[in-house]
Amino acid sequence: MLLDGKQLSAKILKSVKRKLAGKKGKVGLAVILVGNHSASVAYVRQKKLAAEDVGFAFREVRLPISVSETRLLREIEKLNHDKKIHGFIVQLPLPKKISTQKILTAICPAKDVDGFHPLNFGRGFLQLPALLPATPAGILKLLDFYKILLRGKNCVVVGHSNIVGKPLAILLLNRDATVSVCHEFTKDLKYFTKSADIVISAAGVPKLIRANMLKKNCVVIDCGCTKINGKIVGDVDFDSVKKIARAITPVPGGVGPMTVATLIENTFCATENFKF
Ligand code: GUN
């Protein structure tokens, strides 16, 4: 079974568009993009297309790679107070000289539609109302849509980033899965993946997950997104793994569109009297 994120994301966007009807152009989403990292530029373009398609007003704040932390904090403060902007994100990664945590913590939690502010992170972990990080929340939506149950399942998350691996592990735990988190320092990845019912890879390493590392009839979610010779590839060796997995996401067309759709849904939530 192919877990079609493109199709589900289109459904989600259509539903937001319908709910937005009377407020077309009145909901504002902004993205701060520092520099011109090619993957970030492409992600921001997809977010813009989706935002405009559902009827949001989209604003891109483009800053040079040389921008100072102080200037970036000033731009965040402006968006925090801008009544036309209901949600905004700072596209990552940021240049090394800037403290990502300091930047993310400066975003007003009620406008933090990426769910990266410590308050949203913590509230999400505790299952209190919160804006949840888009990729992990999008993956759960995809699993739910295809009726892949999580309670009691052995889930292996590969990658422990703050954007995907860490929050995803907690969201899965909150759904009563048994969760292992593997990462670049894990000694024997296969030892973990071989007994997993669900493997979710967010390592950014092409062909990291191969058929011989998996149990028959497992579910495989690929968050990888690496450009090789102009082509986007995931972490999973799709051609071999599809023969043994019960369900698998394609790259592109799996997790990527779910991230965008969840960001749009979060932005709609941020306009709807979101209460902390
Ligand atoms: N870079 C890669 N994924 C993401 C994401 O979901 N949000 C932001 N802000 N930056 C990213």
Side-chain angles (χ1 to χ4, degrees), residues 16 19-20 23 26-30 56-57 79-80 82-89 107-116 120 129-132 141 261-276:
V16 173
K19 285 190 276 188
L20 191 76
K23 291 194 269 182
K26 295 204 171 80
V27 172
L29 170 64
F56 291 170
L79 291 174
N80 281 344
D82 190 327
K83 295 220 159 32
K84 289 193 174 142
I85 296 298
H86 300 84
F88 69 97
I89 68 167
I107 298 173
C108 165
K111 293 190 179 187
D112 169 39
V113 286
D114 245 343
F116 291 161
N120 278 314
L131 291 161
L132 297 177
K141 280 195 237 291
T262 307
L263 173 72
I264 298 297
E265 224 175 29
N266 277 354
T267 308
F268 185 76
C269 270
T271 67
E272 293 279 288
N273 301 320
F274 192 75
K275 297 264 193 316
F276 284 96

Short mmCIF file of all heavy atoms in Angstrom, two decimals, residues 16 19-20 23 26-30 56-57 79-80 82-89 107-116 120 129-132 141 261-276:
data_model
loop_
_atom_site.label_atom_id
_atom_site.label_comp_id
_atom_site.label_asym_id
_atom_site.label_seq_id
_atom_site.Cartn_x
_atom_site.Cartn_y
_atom_site.Cartn_z
N VAL A 16 -9.60 23.21 4.63
CA VAL A 16 -9.26 24.54 5.21
C VAL A 16 -9.86 25.63 4.31
O VAL A 16 -10.45 26.60 4.80
CB VAL A 16 -7.73 24.72 5.34
CG1 VAL A 16 -7.38 26.14 5.77
CG2 VAL A 16 -7.15 23.72 6.34
N LYS A 19 -13.49 25.98 5.03
CA LYS A 19 -13.76 26.60 6.34
C LYS A 19 -13.41 28.09 6.33
O LYS A 19 -13.99 28.88 7.07
CB LYS A 19 -12.94 25.88 7.43
CG LYS A 19 -13.52 24.52 7.81
CD LYS A 19 -12.85 23.94 9.04
CE LYS A 19 -11.58 23.22 8.71
NZ LYS A 19 -10.95 22.47 9.77
N LEU A 20 -12.47 28.45 5.48
CA LEU A 20 -11.99 29.83 5.45
C LEU A 20 -12.93 30.77 4.70
O LEU A 20 -12.90 31.99 4.93
CB LEU A 20 -10.61 29.86 4.77
CG LEU A 20 -9.83 31.16 4.87
CD1 LEU A 20 -9.24 31.30 6.27
CD2 LEU A 20 -8.71 31.21 3.84
N LYS A 23 -13.41 34.38 5.22
CA LYS A 23 -12.24 35.14 5.70
C LYS A 23 -11.10 35.15 4.69
O LYS A 23 -9.94 35.33 5.04
CB LYS A 23 -11.74 34.54 7.02
CG LYS A 23 -12.70 34.75 8.19
CD LYS A 23 -12.03 34.44 9.51
CE LYS A 23 -12.22 33.01 9.91
NZ LYS A 23 -11.67 32.63 11.18
N LYS A 26 -7.94 37.31 4.70
CA LYS A 26 -7.87 37.98 6.01
C LYS A 26 -6.98 37.23 7.00
O LYS A 26 -6.74 37.69 8.11
CB LYS A 26 -9.28 38.13 6.59
CG LYS A 26 -10.16 39.06 5.76
CD LYS A 26 -11.27 39.66 6.61
CE LYS A 26 -12.01 40.75 5.89
NZ LYS A 26 -13.00 40.24 4.95
N VAL A 27 -6.56 36.03 6.60
CA VAL A 27 -5.65 35.27 7.46
C VAL A 27 -4.24 35.39 6.88
O VAL A 27 -4.03 35.11 5.70
CB VAL A 27 -6.08 33.78 7.53
CG1 VAL A 27 -5.03 32.95 8.26
CG2 VAL A 27 -7.43 33.65 8.20
N GLY A 28 -3.32 35.82 7.71
CA GLY A 28 -1.96 36.05 7.20
C GLY A 28 -0.95 35.05 7.73
O GLY A 28 -0.89 34.79 8.93
N LEU A 29 -0.19 34.47 6.80
CA LEU A 29 0.92 33.57 7.16
C LEU A 29 2.21 34.20 6.63
O LEU A 29 2.26 34.62 5.48
CB LEU A 29 0.71 32.19 6.52
CG LEU A 29 1.89 31.21 6.60
CD1 LEU A 29 2.22 30.82 8.03
CD2 LEU A 29 1.61 29.94 5.78
N ALA A 30 3.22 34.27 7.47
CA ALA A 30 4.51 34.80 7.02
C ALA A 30 5.62 33.78 7.25
O ALA A 30 5.53 32.95 8.16
CB ALA A 30 4.84 36.09 7.78
N PHE A 56 -5.08 32.29 2.10
CA PHE A 56 -4.36 33.09 3.08
C PHE A 56 -3.61 34.20 2.34
O PHE A 56 -3.25 34.05 1.17
CB PHE A 56 -3.28 32.27 3.82
CG PHE A 56 -3.78 31.20 4.75
CD1 PHE A 56 -2.89 30.28 5.29
CD2 PHE A 56 -5.12 31.10 5.10
CE1 PHE A 56 -3.32 29.28 6.16
CE2 PHE A 56 -5.56 30.11 5.97
CZ PHE A 56 -4.66 29.19 6.49
N ALA A 57 -3.32 35.29 3.07
CA ALA A 57 -2.38 36.28 2.55
C ALA A 57 -1.00 35.79 2.98
O ALA A 57 -0.80 35.48 4.16
CB ALA A 57 -2.68 37.64 3.16
N LEU A 79 6.64 40.85 13.55
CA LEU A 79 5.57 39.90 13.17
C LEU A 79 4.72 39.53 14.40
O LEU A 79 3.51 39.32 14.28
CB LEU A 79 6.18 38.65 12.53
CG LEU A 79 6.82 38.87 11.15
CD1 LEU A 79 7.52 37.61 10.67
CD2 LEU A 79 5.78 39.30 10.11
N ASN A 80 5.35 39.45 15.57
CA ASN A 80 4.59 39.14 16.80
C ASN A 80 3.48 40.16 17.02
O ASN A 80 2.41 39.82 17.54
CB ASN A 80 5.53 39.17 18.02
CG ASN A 80 6.35 37.90 18.17
OD1 ASN A 80 6.05 36.88 17.56
ND2 ASN A 80 7.40 37.96 18.97
N ASP A 82 2.19 42.21 14.53
CA ASP A 82 1.49 42.55 13.29
C ASP A 82 0.09 41.91 13.28
O ASP A 82 -0.04 40.68 13.24
CB ASP A 82 2.32 42.04 12.10
CG ASP A 82 1.82 42.57 10.78
OD1 ASP A 82 0.59 42.75 10.64
OD2 ASP A 82 2.66 42.77 9.88
N LYS A 83 -0.94 42.74 13.30
CA LYS A 83 -2.32 42.22 13.39
C LYS A 83 -2.76 41.47 12.13
O LYS A 83 -3.71 40.70 12.16
CB LYS A 83 -3.29 43.38 13.67
CG LYS A 83 -3.06 44.03 15.03
CD LYS A 83 -4.37 44.38 15.71
CE LYS A 83 -4.28 44.55 17.21
NZ LYS A 83 -3.04 45.08 17.77
N LYS A 84 -2.05 41.73 11.02
CA LYS A 84 -2.41 41.04 9.77
C LYS A 84 -1.80 39.64 9.69
O LYS A 84 -2.13 38.85 8.81
CB LYS A 84 -1.92 41.86 8.58
CG LYS A 84 -2.74 43.13 8.39
CD LYS A 84 -2.43 43.72 7.04
CE LYS A 84 -3.35 44.90 6.79
NZ LYS A 84 -2.65 45.98 6.11
N ILE A 85 -0.85 39.36 10.57
CA ILE A 85 -0.18 38.05 10.55
C ILE A 85 -0.68 37.20 11.73
O ILE A 85 -0.53 37.57 12.89
CB ILE A 85 1.37 38.25 10.62
CG1 ILE A 85 1.87 38.98 9.37
CG2 ILE A 85 2.10 36.92 10.81
CD1 ILE A 85 1.65 38.25 8.04
N HIS A 86 -1.28 36.06 11.38
CA HIS A 86 -1.84 35.17 12.42
C HIS A 86 -0.87 34.06 12.80
O HIS A 86 -0.97 33.49 13.88
CB HIS A 86 -3.16 34.60 11.94
CG HIS A 86 -4.15 35.69 11.67
ND1 HIS A 86 -4.18 36.37 10.48
CD2 HIS A 86 -5.10 36.24 12.46
CE1 HIS A 86 -5.12 37.29 10.54
NE2 HIS A 86 -5.70 37.24 11.72
N GLY A 87 0.02 33.76 11.87
CA GLY A 87 1.02 32.72 12.14
C GLY A 87 2.25 32.99 11.31
O GLY A 87 2.15 33.52 10.21
N PHE A 88 3.41 32.63 11.85
CA PHE A 88 4.64 32.74 11.04
C PHE A 88 5.68 31.73 11.49
O PHE A 88 5.60 31.18 12.60
CB PHE A 88 5.20 34.17 11.03
CG PHE A 88 5.78 34.65 12.33
CD1 PHE A 88 7.15 34.58 12.57
CD2 PHE A 88 4.97 35.19 13.32
CE1 PHE A 88 7.70 35.05 13.75
CE2 PHE A 88 5.50 35.65 14.51
CZ PHE A 88 6.86 35.58 14.73
N ILE A 89 6.61 31.48 10.59
CA ILE A 89 7.69 30.54 10.89
C ILE A 89 9.03 31.15 10.46
O ILE A 89 9.06 32.04 9.61
CB ILE A 89 7.51 29.17 10.19
CG1 ILE A 89 7.69 29.30 8.66
CG2 ILE A 89 6.17 28.56 10.51
CD1 ILE A 89 7.84 27.96 7.95
N ILE A 107 9.51 33.78 19.20
CA ILE A 107 8.23 33.79 18.47
C ILE A 107 7.07 33.71 19.47
O ILE A 107 7.11 32.90 20.40
CB ILE A 107 8.17 32.60 17.48
CG1 ILE A 107 9.29 32.71 16.44
CG2 ILE A 107 6.81 32.50 16.82
CD1 ILE A 107 9.42 31.50 15.52
N CYS A 108 6.06 34.56 19.27
CA CYS A 108 4.88 34.51 20.13
C CYS A 108 4.25 33.12 20.01
O CYS A 108 3.91 32.70 18.90
CB CYS A 108 3.90 35.59 19.68
SG CYS A 108 2.27 35.38 20.36
N PRO A 109 4.09 32.37 21.11
CA PRO A 109 3.59 30.99 21.02
C PRO A 109 2.26 30.86 20.28
O PRO A 109 2.03 29.86 19.59
CB PRO A 109 3.46 30.57 22.48
CG PRO A 109 4.42 31.42 23.21
CD PRO A 109 4.45 32.74 22.49
N ALA A 110 1.40 31.87 20.37
CA ALA A 110 0.10 31.78 19.70
C ALA A 110 0.23 31.91 18.18
O ALA A 110 -0.69 31.55 17.44
CB ALA A 110 -0.83 32.87 20.24
N LYS A 111 1.36 32.44 17.71
CA LYS A 111 1.60 32.58 16.26
C LYS A 111 2.60 31.55 15.74
O LYS A 111 2.98 31.56 14.58
CB LYS A 111 2.11 33.99 15.94
CG LYS A 111 1.09 35.09 16.18
CD LYS A 111 1.59 36.41 15.60
CE LYS A 111 0.56 37.51 15.82
NZ LYS A 111 0.95 38.75 15.11
N ASP A 112 3.04 30.67 16.63
CA ASP A 112 4.13 29.73 16.34
C ASP A 112 3.57 28.50 15.59
O ASP A 112 3.45 27.42 16.15
CB ASP A 112 4.78 29.33 17.68
CG ASP A 112 5.73 28.17 17.57
OD1 ASP A 112 6.46 28.11 16.56
OD2 ASP A 112 5.74 27.33 18.49
N VAL A 113 3.26 28.70 14.31
CA VAL A 113 2.56 27.64 13.56
C VAL A 113 3.48 26.47 13.17
O VAL A 113 3.01 25.49 12.61
CB VAL A 113 1.81 28.22 12.34
CG1 VAL A 113 0.56 28.94 12.80
CG2 VAL A 113 2.69 29.15 11.51
N ASP A 114 4.76 26.58 13.48
CA ASP A 114 5.67 25.44 13.31
C ASP A 114 5.73 24.62 14.60
O ASP A 114 6.32 23.53 14.62
CB ASP A 114 7.09 25.93 12.98
CG ASP A 114 7.54 25.50 11.59
OD1 ASP A 114 6.92 24.58 11.02
OD2 ASP A 114 8.50 26.11 11.09
N GLY A 115 5.17 25.16 15.67
CA GLY A 115 5.14 24.44 16.95
C GLY A 115 6.51 24.20 17.55
O GLY A 115 6.71 23.22 18.27
N PHE A 116 7.46 25.09 17.28
CA PHE A 116 8.84 24.89 17.76
C PHE A 116 9.15 25.67 19.03
O PHE A 116 10.23 25.51 19.61
CB PHE A 116 9.86 25.29 16.69
CG PHE A 116 9.89 24.38 15.48
CD1 PHE A 116 10.45 24.80 14.28
CD2 PHE A 116 9.38 23.09 15.54
CE1 PHE A 116 10.50 23.97 13.17
CE2 PHE A 116 9.42 22.25 14.43
CZ PHE A 116 9.99 22.69 13.25
N ASN A 120 4.98 25.46 23.11
CA ASN A 120 4.20 24.53 22.29
C ASN A 120 4.77 23.11 22.37
O ASN A 120 4.03 22.13 22.44
CB ASN A 120 4.15 25.01 20.84
CG ASN A 120 3.09 26.06 20.62
OD1 ASN A 120 1.94 25.90 21.09
ND2 ASN A 120 3.43 27.14 19.96
N PRO A 129 -3.63 21.56 24.87
CA PRO A 129 -3.80 22.23 23.58
C PRO A 129 -2.50 22.95 23.18
O PRO A 129 -1.91 23.66 23.99
CB PRO A 129 -4.91 23.25 23.86
CG PRO A 129 -5.67 22.66 25.00
CD PRO A 129 -4.66 21.93 25.84
N ALA A 130 -2.07 22.72 21.95
CA ALA A 130 -0.80 23.29 21.47
C ALA A 130 -0.77 23.26 19.96
O ALA A 130 -1.51 22.49 19.33
CB ALA A 130 0.37 22.48 22.03
N LEU A 131 0.10 24.09 19.39
CA LEU A 131 0.39 23.98 17.96
C LEU A 131 1.51 22.95 17.85
O LEU A 131 2.56 23.12 18.46
CB LEU A 131 0.83 25.34 17.41
CG LEU A 131 -0.30 26.39 17.37
CD1 LEU A 131 0.27 27.81 17.27
CD2 LEU A 131 -1.26 26.12 16.22
N LEU A 132 1.27 21.87 17.10
CA LEU A 132 2.24 20.76 17.04
C LEU A 132 3.15 20.91 15.83
O LEU A 132 2.71 21.38 14.77
CB LEU A 132 1.50 19.42 16.96
CG LEU A 132 0.62 19.05 18.16
CD1 LEU A 132 -0.11 17.74 17.89
CD2 LEU A 132 1.45 18.95 19.43
N LYS A 141 -1.23 12.15 11.05
CA LYS A 141 -2.45 12.27 10.24
C LYS A 141 -2.46 11.23 9.12
O LYS A 141 -3.48 10.63 8.83
CB LYS A 141 -2.53 13.66 9.60
CG LYS A 141 -3.02 14.76 10.53
CD LYS A 141 -3.39 15.97 9.69
CE LYS A 141 -2.65 17.19 10.09
NZ LYS A 141 -2.90 17.81 11.32
N ALA A 261 0.59 20.79 4.49
CA ALA A 261 -0.84 20.82 4.84
C ALA A 261 -1.03 21.07 6.34
O ALA A 261 -1.95 21.80 6.74
CB ALA A 261 -1.50 19.51 4.42
N THR A 262 -0.15 20.49 7.16
CA THR A 262 -0.28 20.67 8.61
C THR A 262 0.06 22.10 9.01
O THR A 262 -0.57 22.68 9.91
CB THR A 262 0.58 19.64 9.36
OG1 THR A 262 0.23 18.35 8.88
CG2 THR A 262 0.35 19.69 10.86
N LEU A 263 1.04 22.68 8.35
CA LEU A 263 1.38 24.09 8.61
C LEU A 263 0.16 24.98 8.30
O LEU A 263 -0.17 25.90 9.06
CB LEU A 263 2.58 24.52 7.74
CG LEU A 263 2.92 26.00 7.80
CD1 LEU A 263 3.55 26.38 9.14
CD2 LEU A 263 3.83 26.41 6.65
N ILE A 264 -0.50 24.68 7.21
CA ILE A 264 -1.68 25.47 6.81
C ILE A 264 -2.80 25.27 7.84
O ILE A 264 -3.47 26.23 8.26
CB ILE A 264 -2.14 25.06 5.38
CG1 ILE A 264 -1.04 25.37 4.36
CG2 ILE A 264 -3.48 25.70 5.01
CD1 ILE A 264 -0.66 26.82 4.19
N GLU A 265 -2.98 24.02 8.27
CA GLU A 265 -4.01 23.73 9.27
C GLU A 265 -3.68 24.44 10.60
O GLU A 265 -4.57 25.02 11.24
CB GLU A 265 -4.09 22.23 9.49
CG GLU A 265 -5.52 21.74 9.56
CD GLU A 265 -5.59 20.23 9.65
OE1 GLU A 265 -4.67 19.59 10.18
OE2 GLU A 265 -6.58 19.70 9.19
N ASN A 266 -2.40 24.41 10.99
CA ASN A 266 -1.98 25.10 12.21
C ASN A 266 -2.27 26.60 12.12
O ASN A 266 -2.68 27.21 13.10
CB ASN A 266 -0.47 24.91 12.43
CG ASN A 266 -0.13 23.59 13.12
OD1 ASN A 266 -1.02 22.85 13.53
ND2 ASN A 266 1.14 23.30 13.23
N THR A 267 -2.05 27.17 10.94
CA THR A 267 -2.28 28.61 10.77
C THR A 267 -3.77 28.91 10.92
O THR A 267 -4.16 29.89 11.56
CB THR A 267 -1.77 29.08 9.39
OG1 THR A 267 -0.42 28.66 9.24
CG2 THR A 267 -1.85 30.59 9.25
N PHE A 268 -4.60 28.03 10.36
CA PHE A 268 -6.05 28.21 10.52
C PHE A 268 -6.42 28.11 12.01
O PHE A 268 -7.19 28.93 12.51
CB PHE A 268 -6.81 27.18 9.68
CG PHE A 268 -8.28 27.40 9.72
CD1 PHE A 268 -8.85 28.44 8.99
CD2 PHE A 268 -9.10 26.62 10.51
CE1 PHE A 268 -10.21 28.68 9.05
CE2 PHE A 268 -10.47 26.85 10.56
CZ PHE A 268 -11.02 27.88 9.83
N CYS A 269 -5.84 27.14 12.70
CA CYS A 269 -6.08 26.98 14.16
C CYS A 269 -5.69 28.25 14.91
O CYS A 269 -6.38 28.67 15.84
CB CYS A 269 -5.19 25.87 14.71
SG CYS A 269 -5.93 24.28 14.67
N ALA A 270 -4.55 28.86 14.50
CA ALA A 270 -4.05 30.06 15.20
C ALA A 270 -5.03 31.23 15.08
O ALA A 270 -4.98 32.16 15.88
CB ALA A 270 -2.68 30.44 14.64
N THR A 271 -5.89 31.18 14.08
CA THR A 271 -6.87 32.28 13.91
C THR A 271 -8.14 32.00 14.70
O THR A 271 -8.96 32.89 14.90
CB THR A 271 -7.29 32.44 12.43
OG1 THR A 271 -8.02 31.26 12.05
CG2 THR A 271 -6.12 32.64 11.54
N GLU A 272 -8.33 30.75 15.08
CA GLU A 272 -9.59 30.33 15.68
C GLU A 272 -9.56 30.41 17.19
O GLU A 272 -9.64 29.38 17.86
CB GLU A 272 -9.91 28.89 15.25
CG GLU A 272 -10.22 28.75 13.80
CD GLU A 272 -11.65 29.13 13.48
OE1 GLU A 272 -12.55 28.36 13.85
OE2 GLU A 272 -11.85 30.19 12.88
N ASN A 273 -9.37 31.61 17.73
CA ASN A 273 -9.37 31.80 19.18
C ASN A 273 -8.55 30.75 19.88
O ASN A 273 -9.00 30.13 20.86
CB ASN A 273 -10.81 31.73 19.74
CG ASN A 273 -11.66 32.77 19.11
OD1 ASN A 273 -11.22 33.89 18.89
ND2 ASN A 273 -12.88 32.40 18.77
N PHE A 274 -7.35 30.51 19.36
CA PHE A 274 -6.51 29.48 19.96
C PHE A 274 -6.14 29.91 21.37
O PHE A 274 -5.56 30.95 21.60
CB PHE A 274 -5.26 29.28 19.12
CG PHE A 274 -4.50 28.06 19.50
CD1 PHE A 274 -4.95 26.82 19.14
CD2 PHE A 274 -3.34 28.17 20.23
CE1 PHE A 274 -4.26 25.68 19.51
CE2 PHE A 274 -2.65 27.05 20.61
CZ PHE A 274 -3.10 25.80 20.24
N LYS A 275 -6.53 29.10 22.34
CA LYS A 275 -6.30 29.47 23.76
C LYS A 275 -5.25 28.57 24.39
O LYS A 275 -5.28 27.37 24.22
CB LYS A 275 -7.60 29.29 24.55
CG LYS A 275 -8.73 30.19 24.11
CD LYS A 275 -8.80 31.43 24.97
CE LYS A 275 -10.08 32.20 24.77
NZ LYS A 275 -10.52 32.36 23.43
N PHE A 276 -4.35 29.21 25.10
CA PHE A 276 -3.37 28.42 25.84
C PHE A 276 -3.82 28.24 27.27
O PHE A 276 -4.56 29.02 27.80
CB PHE A 276 -2.00 29.10 25.79
CG PHE A 276 -1.33 28.93 24.47
CD1 PHE A 276 -1.42 29.91 23.50
CD2 PHE A 276 -0.65 27.76 24.17
CE1 PHE A 276 -0.83 29.74 22.26
CE2 PHE A 276 -0.06 27.59 22.94
CZ PHE A 276 -0.15 28.57 21.99
#
